[in-house]
Amino acid sequence: MQVTVIGAGLAGCEAAWQLAQRGIAVTLHEMKPEKTTPAHHTADFAELCCSNSLRSDQIENAVGLLKEELRRLDSLILACADATRVEAGGALAVDRYGFSKLVTEKIRSHPNITVIPGEVTAIPEGNVIIASGPLTSDALAAAIAEKIGDGHTLNFFDAAAPLVTFESVDMDSAFFASRYDKGTADYINCPMTEEEYDAFWQALTTAEEASVHGFEDKNVFEGCMPVEVMARRGHNTLCYGPLKPRGLRDPKTGKEPYAVVQLRRDNAQGSVYNLVGFQTHLRFPEQKRVFSMIPALHDAEFVRYGVMHRNTYLRSPGMLDRYYRLIADDRIAFAGQMTGVEGYIESAASGFLAGIEMARRLEGKPPVDFPRETAIGALGLYISDTTVSDFQPMNVNFGIMPPLGYRIKGGKRVKNAQLAARSLEKIDAMREDVLSDRKGE
């Protein structure tokens, strides 16, 4: 038995690992380093092109629950993330390069995985999982469109935030804290007065953008909106978004600032930080000019500027089933952001499910039916739901899972905790079946 996996991002690596762990020979194609995109910077697998945060690690948050489900089912991506985590309050953030390096080492050393570098321009014969990501090359995108029909492919634009060195941040103007003192004080907070914010906002909304073919505000996916696009929606829009000061008290004044720019550690050494929520496609000189107006960043050293790039995803309902298989040809499955799941962990979860389902099908076993009460199952059911009229990329959330069916006292957090407990109970009941066919490395 043999399966071809196209793409060594988070979804492709997870799918390849789950197949290989079940004794199936995997040929993993990755176009790097022979061909790269503007968003890629290394030759390693599972490269984090945008933030180094995998978001909340609390099970009262849907993505935190999804992480815990994957942990209990021996996900490669979660194991590597936990091994390379950096402190980020209640979130799971990783050393960007350490994480990718570890995933690469695990994949390359597995005896059942053969890595072949170079671009894939056609869908191979046999069993295939296509996890080429939102930056799928034009040639492969054309091959996919020919297979499924042009009406099933969509594009949107994604943006990455800039990185600065820790030593260049003026800590006399900044302070360490986490919002509402939740977890440890892992974020650098750069406060701004009303006057400073007003000058910054004026500069941001009039700064020159880089030329991006076909870009319009309406094409921006809300979860990764460029900061300048958000700023243009209103003078104080940023103060209710990434610059929200709530729960952050400046120790120098004892008060909440008018606005706060947060920096999150980007590597284990704490030598590099990223500007949280500052995805952008401003021209590089404009990024330097405008972001240096933030008082604590007046002499900031930018080690990477923000970039804007095209993302491609599929109109999955009616085309893919709940296991991410192509309905018209079940030898082909898709995984990752191109299926319409949005986010690092969601992508890994889709690769996990696509991989174990294909392994079971090749072994003559029925698929594992992750119910809608689980985050893994809810995502698969969302992307395959033909009743969704305006299909858009979706982060995991409790709204796509069934309610408890009874009233809960204690607020949203208590309710979400009970939803999570219900999910993990089901995952634990399924765990032996899911892991029973693994044959090890």
Side-chain angles (χ1 to χ4, degrees), residues 261-287:
V261 175
Q262 289 198 303
L263 311 181
R264 181 180 57 238
R265 185 186 298 194
D266 202 74
N267 62 4
Q269 295 77 28
S271 60
V272 177
Y273 278 73
N274 68 65
L275 279 66
V276 176
F278 271 60
Q279 303 92 340
T280 181
H281 69 122
L282 296 181
R283 293 182 62 244
F284 289 177
E286 292 288 78
Q287 291 184 43

Side-chain angles (χ1 to χ4, degrees), residues 153-170:
T153 60
L154 299 170
N155 292 328
F156 67 97
F157 289 86
D158 203 1
L163 304 176
V164 298
T165 62
F166 170 70
E167 64 181 7
S168 70
V169 178
D170 180 7

Side-chain angles (χ1 to χ4, degrees), residues 200-209 232 282 286 289-290:
F200 169 76
W201 180 82
Q202 293 286 351
L204 181 61
T205 54
T206 57
E208 185 179 356
E209 298 176 353
R232 287 198 294 267
L282 296 181
E286 292 288 78
R289 177 182 70 87
V290 176

